[in-house]
Coordinates of all heavy atoms in Angstrom, one line a residue:
A65 N -4.1 -3.8 6.7 CA -3.5 -3.7 5.3 C -4.6 -3.8 4.2 O -4.5 -2.9 3.3 CB -2.5 -4.8 5.0
L66 N -5.6 -4.6 4.5 CA -6.7 -4.8 3.5 C -7.5 -3.3 3.4 O -7.8 -2.9 2.3 CB -7.6 -5.8 3.8 CG -7.2 -7.2 3.5 CD1 -8.1 -8.3 4.1 CD2 -7.1 -7.5 2.0
E67 N -7.7 -2.7 4.6 CA -8.3 -1.4 4.6 C -7.4 -0.3 3.8 O -7.9 0.4 3.0 CB -8.6 -0.9 6.0 CG -9.8 -1.6 6.6 CD -9.9 -1.4 8.0 OE1 -9.4 -0.3 8.6 OE2 -10.5 -2.2 8.9
R68 N -6.2 -0.3 4.3 CA -5.3 0.9 3.8 C -4.9 0.7 2.3 O -4.7 1.7 1.7 CB -4.0 0.9 4.7 CG -4.3 1.4 6.1 CD -3.1 1.8 6.7 NE -3.4 1.9 8.1 CZ -2.4 1.8 9.1 NH1 -1.2 1.6 8.7 NH2 -2.8 2.1 10.3
L69 N -4.9 -0.6 1.8 CA -4.5 -0.8 0.5 C -5.6 -1.0 -0.5 O -5.4 -1.4 -1.6 CB -3.5 -1.9 0.3 CG -2.1 -1.7 1.2 CD1 -1.3 -3.0 1.1 CD2 -1.3 -0.6 0.5
A70 N -6.8 -0.8 0.1 CA -8.1 -1.2 -0.7 C -8.0 -0.7 -2.1 O -8.4 -1.4 -3.0 CB -9.3 -0.6 0.0
S71 N -7.5 0.5 -2.3 CA -7.5 1.1 -3.7 C -6.5 0.5 -4.6 O -6.7 0.5 -5.8 CB -7.2 2.6 -3.6 OG -6.0 2.8 -2.9
R72 N -5.5 -0.1 -4.0 CA -4.5 -0.8 -4.9 C -4.7 -2.3 -5.1 O -4.0 -2.9 -6.0 CB -3.1 -0.7 -4.1 CG -2.5 0.7 -4.1 CD -1.1 0.5 -4.0 NE -0.5 -0.4 -4.9 CZ 0.8 -0.3 -5.3 NH1 1.6 0.6 -4.9 NH2 1.3 -1.2 -6.2
L73 N -5.7 -2.9 -4.4 CA -5.9 -4.3 -4.5 C -6.8 -4.7 -5.7 O -7.7 -4.0 -5.9 CB -6.5 -4.9 -3.2 CG -5.7 -4.7 -2.0 CD1 -6.4 -5.2 -0.7 CD2 -4.3 -5.5 -2.1
V74 N -6.5 -5.8 -6.3 CA -7.3 -6.3 -7.3 C -7.8 -7.6 -6.9 O -7.1 -8.6 -6.8 CB -6.6 -6.5 -8.7 CG1 -7.6 -6.9 -9.8 CG2 -5.8 -5.2 -9.0
G75 N -9.1 -7.7 -6.3 CA -9.6 -8.9 -5.8 C -8.7 -9.4 -4.7 O -8.5 -10.6 -4.6
G76 N -8.3 -8.6 -3.8 CA -7.6 -9.0 -2.7 C -6.1 -9.2 -2.9 O -5.4 -9.6 -2.0
V77 N -5.8 -9.1 -4.2 CA -4.4 -9.3 -4.5 C -3.5 -8.0 -4.7 O -4.0 -7.1 -5.4 CB -4.2 -10.1 -5.8 CG1 -2.8 -10.4 -6.2 CG2 -4.9 -11.5 -5.6
L78 N -2.4 -7.9 -4.1 CA -1.5 -6.7 -4.2 C -0.5 -6.9 -5.4 O 0.1 -8.0 -5.4 CB -0.8 -6.5 -3.0 CG 0.1 -5.2 -2.8 CD1 -0.7 -3.9 -3.1 CD2 0.7 -5.2 -1.4
V79 N -0.4 -6.1 -6.4 CA 0.4 -6.3 -7.5 C 1.5 -5.1 -7.4 O 1.2 -4.0 -7.4 CB -0.3 -6.2 -8.8 CG1 0.7 -6.5 -9.9 CG2 -1.4 -7.2 -8.8
V80 N 2.8 -5.6 -7.6 CA 3.8 -4.7 -7.6 C 4.6 -4.9 -8.9 O 4.9 -6.0 -9.2 CB 4.8 -4.8 -6.5 CG1 6.0 -3.8 -6.5 CG2 4.0 -4.7 -5.1
R81 N 4.9 -3.8 -9.7 CA 5.7 -4.0 -10.9 C 7.0 -3.3 -10.8 O 7.1 -2.3 -10.2 CB 4.9 -3.5 -12.2 CG 3.8 -4.3 -12.5 CD 3.4 -3.9 -14.0 NE 2.1 -4.7 -14.2 CZ 1.0 -4.4 -13.9 NH1 0.8 -3.3 -13.2 NH2 -0.1 -5.1 -14.2
A82 N 8.0 -3.8 -11.5 CA 9.3 -3.2 -11.6 C 10.0 -3.5 -12.9 O 10.1 -4.6 -13.2 CB 10.2 -3.7 -10.4
S83 N 10.3 -2.4 -13.5 CA 11.0 -2.6 -14.7 C 12.1 -1.5 -15.0 O 12.5 -1.2 -16.1 CB 10.0 -2.4 -15.9 OG 9.4 -1.2 -15.9
E84 N 12.6 -0.9 -13.9 CA 13.5 0.2 -14.1 C 14.9 -0.3 -14.4 O 15.8 0.4 -14.9 CB 13.5 1.1 -13.0 CG 13.9 0.5 -11.6 CD 12.6 0.1 -10.9 OE1 11.7 -0.3 -11.5 OE2 12.6 0.1 -9.6
H85 N 15.2 -1.6 -14.0 CA 16.5 -2.1 -14.2 C 16.6 -3.0 -15.4 O 15.6 -3.5 -15.9 CB 17.0 -2.9 -13.0 CG 17.1 -2.2 -11.8 ND1 18.0 -1.2 -11.5 CD2 16.4 -2.3 -10.6 CE1 17.8 -0.7 -10.3 NE2 16.8 -1.3 -9.7
R86 N 17.8 -3.1 -16.1 CA 18.0 -3.9 -17.2 C 17.9 -5.3 -16.9 O 17.4 -6.2 -17.6 CB 19.3 -3.7 -17.9 CG 19.5 -2.4 -18.7 CD 18.7 -2.8 -20.0 NE 19.0 -1.7 -21.0 CZ 20.1 -1.6 -21.7 NH1 21.0 -2.5 -21.6 NH2 20.1 -0.6 -22.5
S87 N 18.4 -5.8 -15.6 CA 18.4 -7.1 -15.2 C 17.2 -7.5 -14.5 O 16.7 -6.8 -13.7 CB 19.7 -7.4 -14.5 OG 19.4 -7.6 -13.1

Side-chain angles (χ1 to χ4, degrees):
L66 283 169
E67 277 167 34
R68 293 195 190 159
L69 298 172
S71 58
R72 286 205 51 157
L73 297 174
V74 185
V77 178
L78 182 58
V79 181
V80 179
R81 285 197 186 82
S83 59
E84 60 268 29
H85 300 293
R86 279 287 190 79
S87 106

